[in-house]
């Protein structure tokens, strides 16, 4: 049976993952407006990943005999100054999520739930990958500056990203 404090921390993180899904869906809509279909594809995959992250925890809490209580999901921003500004926010958000996963692990550590710690290891590794992935796109966007042709080349590259359902835990 999962400890009550840890159960609450998991519920908070489920909300954060669902917010991530919502934020990236809003960014997807932004790139639809810009008609940059490769970026749209990148966010389509990102949205699916965030949903999988939320569901991984959703299922885990149940597996541990806990209770999931869904909270309100905050309204995400709907517009950005540029693709660069948008990706700056993605990186900032992923860094925030990493800090929340660390905080969740602190709670698991505090209540000596080693099974939960081992489960959360996957999320920690995933955050390293996400930050590096997003950091790569951001670095390219900085190089691109106002070069529309280079932006279209990046758009082509982002069109190749595909979703692979993660095996969590
Ligand atoms: Fe769930 O990893 Fe991004 O936020």
């Amino acid at each position: 049976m999962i400890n009550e404090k840890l159960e609450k921390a998991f519920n908070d993180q489920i909300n954060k993952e669902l917010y991530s899904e919502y934020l990236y869906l809003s960014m997807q809509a932004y790139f639809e407006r810009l008609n940059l279909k490769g970026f749209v594809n990148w966010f389509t995959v990102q949205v699916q990943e965030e949903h999988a992250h939320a569901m991984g925890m959703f299922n885990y809490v149940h597996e541990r005999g806990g209770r999931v209580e869904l909270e309100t999901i905050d309204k995400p921003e709907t517009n950005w100054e540029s693709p660069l500004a948008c990706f700056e926010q993605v990186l900032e958000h992923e860094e925030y999520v990493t800090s929340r996963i660390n905080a969740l692990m602190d709670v698991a550590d505090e209540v000596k739930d080693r099974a939960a710690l081992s489960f959360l290891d996957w999320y920690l590794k995933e955050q390293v990958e996400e930050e590096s992935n997003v950091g790569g796109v951001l670095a390219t966007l900085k190089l691109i500056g106002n070069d529309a042709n280079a932006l279209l080349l990046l758009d082509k590259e982002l069109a190749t990203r595909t979703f692979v359902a993660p095996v969590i835990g």
Side-chain angles (χ1 to χ4, degrees), residues 8 17 23 32 36 40 42 47 53 70 76 84 104 113 117 128 150 157:
K8 176 158 185 350
E17 300 293 342
L23 173 66
E32 285 279 9
L36 288 168
V40 167
W42 193 92
V47 163
H53 296 169
L70 297 177
L84 175 65
L104 177 54
D113 192 327
L117 276 172
V128 172
E157 191 189 318

Side-chain angles (χ1 to χ4, degrees), residues 13-43:
Q13 190 58 34
I14 289 170
N15 182 267
K16 301 260 179 322
E17 300 293 342
L18 291 174
Y19 173 76
S20 301
E21 179 181 356
Y22 219 38
L23 173 66
Y24 296 146
L25 192 57
S26 186
M27 290 174 169
Q28 183 180 329
Y30 164 70
F31 282 104
E32 285 279 9
R33 292 197 295 278
L34 296 182
N35 200 30
L36 288 168
K37 299 296 188 191
F39 281 87
V40 167
N41 174 67
W42 193 92
F43 279 99

Side-chain angles (χ1 to χ4, degrees), residues 17 20 24 46 50 53 93-94 97 127 130:
E17 300 293 342
S20 301
Y24 296 146
Q46 195 70 10
E50 296 306 344
H53 296 169
H93 182 68
E94 285 305 327
V97 171
Q127 283 310 120
E130 293 232 310

Side-chain angles (χ1 to χ4, degrees), residues 46-161:
Q46 195 70 10
V47 163
Q48 287 171 289
E49 288 203 348
E50 296 306 344
H51 188 71
H53 296 169
M55 290 312 293
M57 290 187 185
F58 180 98
N59 292 333
Y60 185 71
V61 170
H62 286 123
E63 196 183 336
R64 296 290 307 276
R67 179 182 170 131
V68 168
E69 283 189 25
L70 297 177
E71 298 289 342
T72 307
I73 302 169
D74 290 341
K75 183 180 194 293
E77 277 172 55
T78 56
N79 203 28
W80 290 269
E81 221 173 79
S82 63
L84 175 65
C86 181
F87 268 83
E88 273 167 348
Q89 191 181 345
V90 176
L91 184 59
E92 200 179 294
H93 182 68
E94 285 305 327
E95 286 169 352
Y96 169 68
V97 171
T98 300
S99 77
R100 297 318 303 160
I101 298 287
N102 275 317
L104 177 54
M105 290 181 94
D106 284 346
V107 178
D109 200 29
E110 189 191 319
V111 301
K112 298 199 179 344
D113 192 327
R114 296 203 166 75
L117 276 172
S118 140
F119 170 77
L120 286 167
D121 252 346
W122 183 90
Y123 283 85
L124 211 50
K125 286 188 197 120
E126 174 73 359
Q127 283 310 120
V128 172
E129 211 181 294
E130 293 232 310
E131 283 187 28
S132 147
N133 202 345
V134 173
V137 179
L138 185 57
T140 308
L141 281 169
K142 280 182 182 162
L143 279 175
I144 287 173
N146 291 323
D147 183 340
N149 284 333
L151 184 65
L152 289 175
L153 270 181
L154 175 62
D155 188 58
K156 250 193 175 166
E157 191 189 318
L158 299 186
T160 61
R161 187 183 188 196

